[in-house]
Structures are given as structure tokens and as C-alpha cells.
Amino acid sequence: DKEFSTYKEVYAREKYIDFLSHGITEYMVDANRYGLPLKDKERLGGLFHVVIDVERIGDHAVNIMDDALKEKNQKIEFSKEGRDEMLTMYGKVMDIYEKAVEIFVNEDKSKFDEVDRLEDVIDQMKIDCQEGHVKRMAAGKCSIESGLVFTDLVIGYERIADHAVIFYFTWKENKLEKTLTKMGMETCPFFSIRRKYMQKIYIVEDDKNIAEIEEFALKNSGFEVYTFSNAKDFDKKMENKYPDLIIMDIMLPDRDGL
């Protein structure tokens, strides 16, 4: 019970992270309006993604807290093997997070190889945990309820590691496009399609932070970008001229993005 008494603090910190993310994003958007040197623009592009990934890590922390409360309130029990696997993976995730932050803050290149190795280890641990879970379910060693929470936690841990690694790649590559590629986003349309065939892009996104980051990345890549926070304004613009590409959120305030 003492361990669970801090759950309100977890939620409060996540809200504070969202507040800071919004303020920092606005500041960087303003800074980008000035004629910054190319190197500074590249660094700023990487910082945009760091801010968003810190926010996402906060979201995953809340999800983990929700799972912990579910485990307590529903009296869910894990097998010893499953609990040991989760604790081991948690330790590796915290290790890569701390090392990635240290690289980013101190510009310490000595830990590059170690972070690369840890990322591979965590990816494999996720696979091993899922396979072990399936075997325990088949053997009747754990319930469906515990299996759902276990799977959710393992996926959350792995995603936290993925988000943390961007701190490391931002400093190692210092190139926005390379950073996105390293994060498994090489299929992003605005980097995979040749610019000469796509000049104008419309972004329809009601989340201001996400819209600003997408707009910043695309403009830095040489595209003409227009953003809309709702479908009504987007439809009005479409009456006059079609873009080369539309990036649309699925859940919009006034219409389904699909």
C-alpha cells in the first residue's frame, strides 16, 4: 500500500510534463523563425523529437501505473517466472534510459556502443517475454487477466526504451532525417518521396504540439506546409487547391479523419 500511495504524484508529474512540453515546443517554434545557422537548425530539429519522446515516456509511465493499480485492485497474481522477467526487463530499460540521457546531456560519446547493445538486448527480451508468456498460458501457470497486464507492461517497457534511444541518436547523428530513420520511421512519406514530385503538404491535426513538430520537420525539409486544426477549415482550403500530400489525424474534433 505504501508503494501505491504515490500514484497521484505519477499522474501529477505526467500533467506537468505535458505543460512543459507545450511551453518548450512553442519556444523552439519561435526560435526557428530566426535565421539560424544550418547546424543549429539540425540540432533544433532533433530537440523537437526529444521533447515529444519525453512526453511519450510520461504517457507510458501513466499506463504502467494504471496496470499496477489494476493488478492490486483485481488481485492479479503473476507467476514467479513472469515477475522475474518483468523485473529484469525493467532494469535494462532504466539502464538504457539513464545512459541515453547521459549521452544527450553530457555529449558523452563513450557510451554509444553500450546503448546500441542494450537496445538489441531489450528488443530480444520483449520477444523472449512474449514467447515465455505463451508457454505459461498453455501450461496453465497464469490467468488470462495476468497475461493481458503482463503483455501490456512488456510492450510499454520496450517502447520507453525506443523513445529514450532518440536522445542518443539525436546527438550521434545530429540529422533529423537520420534520427527518424533510426527510430524505424524510414517509411515516412515526406522523406521517402522525392521532393520534386511533392511540394505542398496539408496537415490536419488538432493537437497543437504534434502539428507544430510535423510542420517544423517538413518546412526544414523544403516543403510548403499548411496546417489545419479541424476538418471544416481543411475542406474550405481544398475547395481552392489540392496539395501533393495530406497528413490527417484520425480523430478530429468535427469529423472522423478516415
Side-chain angles (χ1 to χ4, degrees):
D1 290 338
K2 184 177 179 181
E3 293 177 356
F4 285 97
S5 64
T6 60
Y7 76 93
K8 291 183 179 179
E9 183 180 351
V10 172
Y11 296 130
R13 287 190 179 186
E14 194 270 336
K15 289 183 179 179
Y16 187 51
I17 290 172
D18 289 345
F19 169 76
L20 290 175
S21 174
H22 180 74
I24 294 170
T25 299
E26 285 191 341
Y27 177 83
M28 288 194 291
V29 168
D30 288 338
N32 190 54
R33 294 192 179 103
Y34 297 95
L36 299 174
L38 179 60
K39 186 176 181 180
D40 290 340
K41 278 183 171 290
E42 290 174 349
R43 185 64 168 162
L44 194 63
L47 291 175
F48 261 105
H49 288 274
V50 169
V51 170
I52 247 336
D53 279 85
V54 169
E55 184 180 7
R56 296 282 166 81
I57 288 172
D59 293 339
H60 286 302
V62 168
N63 292 339
I64 290 171
M65 188 73 247
D66 290 341
D67 284 331
L69 290 173
K70 185 187 296 184
E71 176 195 357
K72 179 179 184 295
N73 295 332
Q74 297 182 12
K75 298 182 177 3
I76 294 173
E77 294 184 1
F78 296 107
S79 65
K80 183 180 183 305
E81 297 95 330
R83 187 171 293 276
D84 289 344
E85 287 174 357
M86 283 191 293
L87 289 173
T88 301
M89 189 171 184
Y90 169 78
K92 296 295 183 183
V93 170
M94 290 304 299
D95 194 15
I96 196 173
Y97 175 82
E98 291 170 359
K99 285 180 171 59
V101 170
E102 187 176 348
I103 288 172
F104 178 77
V105 173
N106 300 324
E107 301 181 352
D108 182 5
K109 301 179 182 180
S110 65
K111 293 183 172 60
F112 280 175
D113 292 341
E114 196 169 355
V115 170
D116 281 336
R117 181 188 62 79
L118 277 170
E119 184 187 16
D120 292 338
V121 168
I122 291 170
D123 288 344
Q124 185 59 49
M125 287 184 75
K126 176 190 172 185
I127 296 172
D128 294 342
C129 285
Q130 290 174 326
E131 290 179 351
H133 161 64
V134 170
K135 291 178 181 178
R136 287 190 294 273
M137 286 281 290
K141 294 183 178 180
C142 60
S143 65
I144 294 176
E145 292 78 10
S146 65
L148 291 173
V149 174
F150 177 85
T151 301
D152 197 34
L153 286 170
V154 168
I155 292 173
Y157 288 158
E158 193 263 342
R159 287 178 178 171
I160 287 174
D162 284 343
H163 288 303
V165 166
I166 202 168
F167 306 159
Y168 152 67
F169 283 133
T170 298
W171 172 243
K172 182 179 180 182
E173 304 294 349
N174 204 25
K175 298 282 186 181
L176 178 59
E177 295 185 22
K178 288 183 179 180
T179 300
L180 288 171
T181 301
K182 286 289 188 178
M183 291 300 292
M185 297 172 66
E186 64 273 10
T187 57
C188 262
F190 44 87
F191 290 131
S192 61
I193 300 176
R194 292 185 178 182
R195 294 175 190 170
K196 66 178 181 179
Y197 295 118
M198 184 179 65
Q199 297 297 324
K200 184 175 294 186
I201 301 175
Y202 290 175
I203 297 172
V204 191
E205 172 62 67
D206 61 320
D207 188 309
K208 185 179 179 181
N209 281 352
I210 294 176
E212 287 176 344
I213 289 174
E214 290 176 342
E215 181 181 7
F216 172 82
L218 291 167
K219 283 186 174 179
N220 264 14
S221 299
F223 298 107
E224 182 183 355
V225 183
Y226 296 86
T227 60
F228 309 89
S229 61
N230 56 71
K232 182 180 178 181
D233 292 342
F234 166 72
D235 290 340
K236 187 176 181 180
K237 185 71 173 179
M238 287 289 287
E239 291 175 0
N240 300 319
K241 195 168 186 179
Y242 288 103
D244 298 291
L245 177 72
I246 299 170
I247 301 175
M248 181 175 287
D249 187 14
I250 294 177
M251 298 178 66
L252 294 169
D254 54 347
R255 194 176 72 197
D256 188 326
L258 294 175

